[in-house]
Amino acid sequence: MKKQVGQGRRTQEALRQSEERFRLLVAHALDAVITIDIQGRITSWNPQAERLFGWAQAEVLGRLLSETIIPPTYREAHERGLARFRATGEGPVLGRRIELTGLHRNGTEFPVELAITPMRSGKTVLFSAFLRDITEAKRAEEARRQSEASFRLLFTSNPLPMWVYDVATMAFLEVNAAAVAHYGYSREEFLAMRITDIRPPEEVPRLEAILTGFGAEADPAVRRHAGTWTHRLKDGRIREVDIVSHAIDFAGRRAALVVAIDVTELRQTQASLAKSTERLRILHEIDRALIAAEAPVAIAEAVLRRLRDLLGVPRAIVNLFDLATGEVEWLAAAGRRRIRLGPGVRFPLSLMGDVEALRRGEPQVIDVAALPRGPEAEALLASGVHTYMVVPMIAGGELIGGLSFGGAPGEFSPEQIGIAQEVAAQLAIALAQARLHERVKRQAEELEQRVQERTRELSTANEQLQREVAERQRAEADADRANRAKSEFLSRMSHELRTPLNAILGFAQLLELEVERPADRESVEQIAKGGRHLLTLINEILDIARIEAGQLPLSPEPVRVGDAIQRVLDLTRPLAATRRIELETGGAALHPEHVWADQQRLQQVLLNLVSNGIKYNRDAGRLTVACDAAEADRIRISVKDTGPGIAPALRERLFQPFDRLGAEQHGVEGTGLGLALSKRLVEAMGGTIGVESVPSAGSTFWVEFLRAESPIDRLARTEPSPAVLAAPAERDGTVLYIEDNLSNLRLVERTLALRPGVKLIPAMQGRLGLALAQQHRPDLILLDLHLPDISGEQVLRELQGDPGLRQTPVVVLSADATPGQIQRLLAAGVRAYLTKPLDVRQLLALLDEVLRTGGGA
Ligand code: ADP
């Protein structure tokens, strides 16, 4: 019994210990462990279950498990399973791991793994449920599934060729469709090949070197490889391929996943793009140098090295041709390493090939071996040049040089030729332009220099000229001053001399009346004669002085030749009579003609010539005053005597003042000034004077003046219609015309004939005019300013000083049309100033107005 008891106690103890172990096991189990009874009520609930479902053990004991941890939608199934087990003692879920959805106390659902085991203890059946949260496991599995799917997608459907190979054996393990399409092998073929089979043999050693250790390292940088490789397609074509490979684990093998990008076309395109960019850059460089007006050598330098590289040749040279000397000169040469610039290297043009062909633009290929043996060919071969091409440089149709390039023997590609031609053409333009620019610059500099020299010369000349001008101005001013002083002196002198002379002459005349003794009479006669001589002398000196000072007033107008001659002859007739000299006229046909001269001064000249012709004549000789038409519409008046004539040697001196050629010794009266004055007067009137003489037969002095239209003719030519000239109403009146020019007198006479009621009184001298004015009290006085005795202005002053005549309107008729003079006389009170040639209508209008208004206004 004791043993039994002891046995029972031991058994109980063992049971208790076993239960305790179980409890501890459950309490510390990793899974949630829940037990339920046959009704489904919770009988135990370990700490993991508390954590998993959020319920404490105390809260859930006795509760239905389905209500506690099964979401409502699954509860029914749970209940059904339990009921079936109750009825049959079996159920599909028992003893198996199943997945179902658990419900947390807070309402969230989550996947759980469940294993239910029935435990029989006597008659009681308990179920123990082991539950585990499988959210994480689920998520991980989903991720793996997705990653596998996307890997598949990336690999199989990738447009880039991809494959996986065994790093150890180099055998293909997998390929994608793009690889099959690109390389031309089927998948099966691929999988029977090694990666070395898609490469040309020369690439294999490099591949093997890279594969050694590939993927063995853990370092991701080493586990990846990228590079460019040459691959061979099934059809044998060679391609350039960019490769990226990653070390991967493939079904337990050390493998590599490869992505291959065929860059053959891309590389070709890039290369040709780079070439054409470089080509453009070279052309642009030439343009830039051209625009920057760089020197030829700088232009060549800017492009030569790049051109050499672009052409892919060791040497390129810009040669300039000197066609005249048959030589070529290097402008710039680019060798393998160096570039040589500037002139100095010259060689025969024959090294450039066929010059005529070059002219036509055809490039020349020269094989150095075919050149005649000589230093040049040796030098070329020595520097490694076997073949070279010369591309002509033509600018403006002119062959200026050649671009040569080459080196090793071989053909030149169309691309090289194209580039060289393009560059040569552009270079030719730039070089021609640069040369032109240099020439223009040189010329501009020369021109500049010449201009500077010329400017210097000019400024020197200018300074010289300025000095001369200043000197001349000074001299002129001096002369002017001297002249003014002289004429001032002369006019003073003449005044000072004339006053006592007038007294002498006056008293001499009185004495003449009183003395009776012949001896006294003779003395008085001498006094008078001396006085007259002095007076003439003074007058003539004064005239010359005035002419020389430009102060002699002249009033040129048409003068009737016949009148001038007649008047002179009338004046000299008494003198001629004393010598019994016969006076004659000739060329009377020309007497009605007019010459353009100052009436007074013409008279004075003719008077001088005629009196000389009498003075220096023989007694009872002859003097002829003739008229002839001369050249250039001139009229010549000549005075011919029968005197001793003048020796040719003396003629020069004739017109010199005070030179009497010895006449003073023959007792002939004279001053030696007559001819000198005459010459000056004639020339001042635009005429000429001269002499012809036959010694011992006589002399002929002549003057010539421009022919003038007579005022009468002019009137006839321009005469207005009678209607215009008709008097508005017949009125009587008297007009006094003070004028010494007969032609003018006649003209006015004829004009006034149109007014039959008007009487014209002519006066040919000023004093006479004044006397006639007082006597006749005319309605109008016409006044010439140039009168033989007193001046017209003097007449005007005296008229205005006479109370009886002050109101009489005076109209000046003058050839002098200077505005100053006209202004002055109008201001002095003249009614009108009519200039010659006379406007008849104007005169008649004035006359009509004066007669109508009764003058005086
Ligand atoms: P003047 O008669 O007062 O001496 P002129 O100037 O009129 O001065 O003449 C200069 C000189 O020319 C005269 O002195 C005279 O010797 C010479 N001469 C002038 N007219 C004649 C002439 N018709 N025949 C010869 N000699 C003349």
Side-chain angles (χ1 to χ4, degrees), residues 612 615-616 641 646 654 659-661 663 670-672 674-675 699 701:
N612 276 356
K615 281 197 298 184
Y616 303 107
D641 63 49
I646 301 154
L654 269 177
D659 196 340
R660 300 199 62 208
L661 313 180
T671 58
L675 284 179
S699 313
F701 283 83

Side-chain angles (χ1 to χ4, degrees), residues 7 56 62 68 106 199 242 247 249 281 299 317 408 621 702 736 745:
Q7 214 175 13
T68 312
N106 65 13
R199 284 174 166 80
D242 274 359
D249 196 51
R281 203 168 284 151
I299 296 177
I317 301 169
W702 55 261
L736 170 65
L745 267 175

